[in-house]
Amino acid sequence: MIIAIDGPAGAGKSTVARILAKKLGFLYVDTGAMYRALTLKILENNVAISDEPRINALAQKVRIDLRNNADGSLSVILDGRDVSLEIRQARITQFVSDVAKIKTVRQVLVAMQRDMGKRGDCVLDGRDIGTVVFPDARKKFFIDASKGVRVDRRFKELKGLGQDVAINDVEKDLSNRDKIDSTREASPLRCAPDAVYIDTTGLSIEQVVDKMLGFIK
Ligand code: DC
């Protein structure tokens, strides 16, 4: 069974997706982490974000694995190396939306995501899971929240990772990514017509997870 979770940055998708997957005993696939891992590879190879032919060449040969750990955390493995922390850095966040709008990059990563979904019961989160990657997913959710709450959540998350960020910069980054993710030509962020829309603005993580479980069972 596939559970698709989409929504904008900072809405709390990954947190609830991870908890839901653990509760259900499903595999958790963080598709945003895959776009981030490829972005890291591009920067490490000194390839310009505008150089689509070289980016496509890197995308064709990249190996990205997602490991679900026993404690519920996720390890992101890029070509055999654990990059779970590195992909959360500001330099990756700054460029990832530009990488994610390249059509051929999306084709390669979507194919990987579909393969992962074939391994068994799966919760996937991203921007296009219910609309493009698994349009036939058994359950689809669109997780949203007000802009202010999303900025606040992302700010706290980055602080929790030990990053010295200013809330103004988080706000700017979120607005910029919202714009690129929802206006790009290839698979823009959309709520699938058959998705359950949940506004998490005034809700705790537990309340959101309970709501979702209610729709799944
Ligand atoms: O969820 P996140 O912030 O880790 O995602 C990073 C970027 O990747 C985000 O700006 C949009 C892009 N993305 C995407 O285009 N499609 C997905 N399925 C997941 C993420």
Side-chain angles (χ1 to χ4, degrees), residues 34-35 38 62 64 105-113:
M34 299 170 74
Y35 288 94
L38 177 62
V62 73
I64 302 171
V105 160
R106 302 200 70 82
Q107 281 165 1
V108 173
L109 293 193
V110 166
M112 277 186 207
Q113 291 154 18

Side-chain angles (χ1 to χ4, degrees), residues 31-63:
T31 64
M34 299 170 74
Y35 288 94
R36 286 172 179 272
L38 177 62
T39 303
L40 175 62
K41 188 171 172 97
I42 292 165
L43 296 184
E44 283 181 340
N45 280 273
N46 294 316
V47 172
I49 296 297
S50 54
D51 191 344
E52 287 194 21
R54 286 190 67 201
I55 290 180
N56 289 334
L58 286 180
Q60 298 294 341
K61 59 179 189 196
V62 73
R63 276 192 306 119

Side-chain angles (χ1 to χ4, degrees), residues 34-108:
M34 299 170 74
Y35 288 94
R36 286 172 179 272
L38 177 62
T39 303
L40 175 62
K41 188 171 172 97
I42 292 165
L43 296 184
E44 283 181 340
N45 280 273
N46 294 316
V47 172
I49 296 297
S50 54
D51 191 344
E52 287 194 21
R54 286 190 67 201
I55 290 180
N56 289 334
L58 286 180
Q60 298 294 341
K61 59 179 189 196
V62 73
R63 276 192 306 119
I64 302 171
D65 294 315
L66 299 177
R67 275 188 209 145
N68 283 229
N69 302 315
D71 64 358
S73 64
L74 182 87
S75 296
V76 183
I77 315 293
L78 171 66
D79 297 326
R81 183 175 119 232
D82 190 329
V83 296
S84 313
L85 276 182
E86 260 177 289
I87 59 164
R88 304 291 160 198
Q89 289 172 353
R91 67 187 183 115
I92 305 297
T93 306
Q94 188 186 342
F95 293 114
V96 64
S97 288
D98 287 318
V99 172
K101 70 181 185 194
I102 303 174
K103 249 184 215 156
T104 37
V105 160
R106 302 200 70 82
Q107 281 165 1
V108 173

Side-chain angles (χ1 to χ4, degrees), residues 4 10 14 18 30-31 43 58 61 63-64 69 72 112 116 123 134 151 164 167-168 172 185 202 206 210:
S14 315
R18 190 178 302 124
D30 177 352
T31 64
L43 296 184
L58 286 180
K61 59 179 189 196
R63 276 192 306 119
I64 302 171
N69 302 315
M112 277 186 207
M116 288 176 179
V123 177
F134 287 107
V151 170
D164 184 21
I167 195 147
N168 283 352
K172 262 189 242 152
E185 197 189 315
E206 293 72 27
D210 283 349

